[in-house]
Amino acid sequence: QLQLAQSGGGLVQPGESLSLSCSASGFTLDSYATGWYRQAPGQGREGVGCIGRSGAVTDWLDYLPSEKGRFTISRDNAKNTVYLQTSSLKVEDTAVYYCAAQLRCILPTQAKVWGQGTQVTVSS
């Protein structure tokens, strides 16, 4: 059974950081690309970034200077876990964050399996 288990969400204040985890069972994460997505209340799903089978990272949100470097994706093959490390969080980052195993780091996503999601709430 292919499964992704997520953890690490919570309530933080603006400017703080948070690390989200996505752990696989039933398969090895490095056999797929792993994408990170988020969905804010009343909004559609938005791509955050993706790490490919080779370990190359694509930062889909890195299109504005204010966004550069705020989201970092990494993979620990020994732990079969992919991480999304966030920093300088803003209220607008509030969303449910999802990970997905997919064929390639390309949008739109056709995922093999989705994580259950974890809520990140940024509030003062």
Side-chain angles (χ1 to χ4, degrees):
Q1 181 72 40
L2 305 181
Q3 291 185 337
L4 293 174
Q6 297 184 235
S7 63
L11 174 64
V12 297
Q13 295 183 357
E16 294 183 341
S17 62
L18 205 60
S19 182
L20 308 181
S21 299
C22 178
S23 297
S25 60
F27 69 104
T28 55
L29 273 175
D30 63 4
S31 65
Y32 295 93
T34 302
W36 282 96
Y37 305 85
R38 66 184 183 181
Q39 188 165 17
Q43 304 296 317
R45 185 179 63 208
E46 179 182 33
V48 176
C50 184
I51 183 168
R53 295 179 67 252
S54 68
V57 174
T58 301
D59 297 316
W60 287 319
L61 291 182
D62 192 16
Y63 60 92
L64 291 173
S66 61
E67 302 293 336
K68 186 178 181 180
R70 295 206 303 118
F71 299 89
T72 302
I73 298 172
S74 61
R75 183 174 66 220
D76 188 332
N77 290 329
K79 296 181 179 180
N80 206 21
T81 299
V82 170
Y83 302 93
L84 177 65
Q85 298 159 314
T86 68
S87 63
S88 301
L89 286 167
K90 308 171 183 178
V91 173
E92 63 193 70
D93 293 322
T94 296
V96 177
Y97 285 72
Y98 299 91
C99 62
Q102 56 194 75
L103 294 179
R104 301 183 300 275
C105 287
I106 189 172
L107 296 174
T109 300
Q110 189 169 0
K112 295 292 184 181
V113 59
W114 287 92
Q116 83 279 12
T118 185
Q119 184 174 354
V120 173
T121 302
V122 185
S123 177
S124 60

